[in-house]
Amino acid sequence: MKNLKSLTTSIFALALFVSCSNDADTPEPVNEEEPLTTLTVTLEPQGGGTTITLQTRDLDDDGPEPPVITISGNLTAGVTYNGTIVILNETVNPPEIITEEVEEEEDVDHQFFYTVAGGLDVTTEYGNFDSNGNPLGTEFTLTAGAASSGILTFTLIHLPTKPNTGLNDAGGETDIAAPFNVTIE
C-alpha cells in the first residue's frame, strides 16, 4: 500500500510538472504577412529636372494576373537622383503603407538591395539605415552614368544577415523583387 501511495504521488507530481508551462514552450505570436501589391520608386534629380517614377502593381498579389509595370521616362546621363521606395498593400481600403512599418518597427529585419544587369551604367548608395547602423535602403541615391540600358531590380529581403556585402550573401527571404527595364539617355 505504501508503494501504491508513493507511486500515486509520483504520477501526480509528474503530471503537475509536465502541465506547467515554460516560456520557451510558449509559441511565438504569428506575424501575418500582408500582401505587397505595389512598389513605387521615385527618382528626383538633384538640382532640379524631371522626376522619374518606376512602379510595379499587382493587385491580385500571387494571383494569375501579371503585375502592371510602368516607367515614367528615361534617366539622364550624368545626373544623380535622390530615390525613395514606397510599398503598399492595396488589397485594403485605405491602402496600407508597408514602408512605414518597415522603417519604424521592422528596420533591423529588412534591407533593400539594388542590382543592375544588362549593361546599365548606374551606381547606388544607401541613404538611410536601421537602428543598428546597417543599411535599410528605402532611401538612396542613384547616379546615372553613360547612355545605356538594362535591368534595375529593387529587392526587399526579410531577415537578412547584417552586415553583408550584398544580395548574394544576405540570406533571408525575398519579400518583393521588382525588375525594371531602364534606359539612360
Side-chain angles (χ1 to χ4, degrees):
M1 191 68 146
K2 187 175 180 182
N3 286 340
L4 183 58
K5 184 177 180 182
S6 190
L7 180 62
T8 303
T9 303
S10 295
I11 290 173
F12 177 77
L14 180 62
L16 182 63
F17 176 77
V18 170
S19 68
C20 289
S21 175
N22 181 342
D23 287 340
D25 296 336
T26 304
E28 296 268 336
V30 175
N31 183 9
E32 189 157 331
E33 298 294 321
E34 57 274 303
L36 307 180
T37 60
T38 306
L39 180 140
T40 304
V41 178
T42 303
L43 300 170
E44 188 174 323
Q46 293 179 357
T50 303
T51 297
I52 306 299
T53 303
L54 315 172
Q55 185 179 74
T56 181
R57 192 169 189 216
D58 190 2
L59 296 181
D60 70 347
D61 195 28
D62 290 332
E65 298 298 318
V68 175
I69 298 172
T70 56
I71 301 171
S72 69
N74 295 330
L75 301 176
T76 302
V79 172
T80 298
Y81 296 84
N82 293 324
T84 57
I85 301 172
V86 174
I87 300 172
L88 301 175
N89 170 9
E90 291 189 277
T91 64
V92 295
N93 190 8
E96 182 181 5
I97 304 170
I98 304 300
T99 309
E100 290 176 355
E101 184 179 316
V102 168
E103 290 175 337
E104 296 169 7
E105 301 169 20
E106 301 177 1
D107 60 338
V108 295
D109 294 335
H110 289 88
Q111 184 177 351
F112 263 103
F113 294 89
Y114 328 110
T115 53
V116 179
L120 182 65
D121 185 14
V122 299
T123 57
T124 58
E125 188 173 316
Y126 285 100
N128 65 341
F129 299 85
D130 68 21
S131 56
N132 292 331
N134 292 306
L136 177 57
T138 57
E139 299 174 8
F140 62 99
T141 57
L142 179 144
T143 302
S148 56
S149 62
I151 299 172
L152 177 59
T153 303
F154 297 87
T155 305
L156 178 61
I157 298 294
H158 182 241
L159 296 175
T161 299
K162 288 186 177 187
N164 57 63
T165 59
L167 184 58
N168 290 336
D169 78 334
E173 294 182 17
T174 301
D175 278 345
I176 189 169
F180 297 97
N181 290 314
V182 174
T183 300
I184 301 172
E185 52 183 31

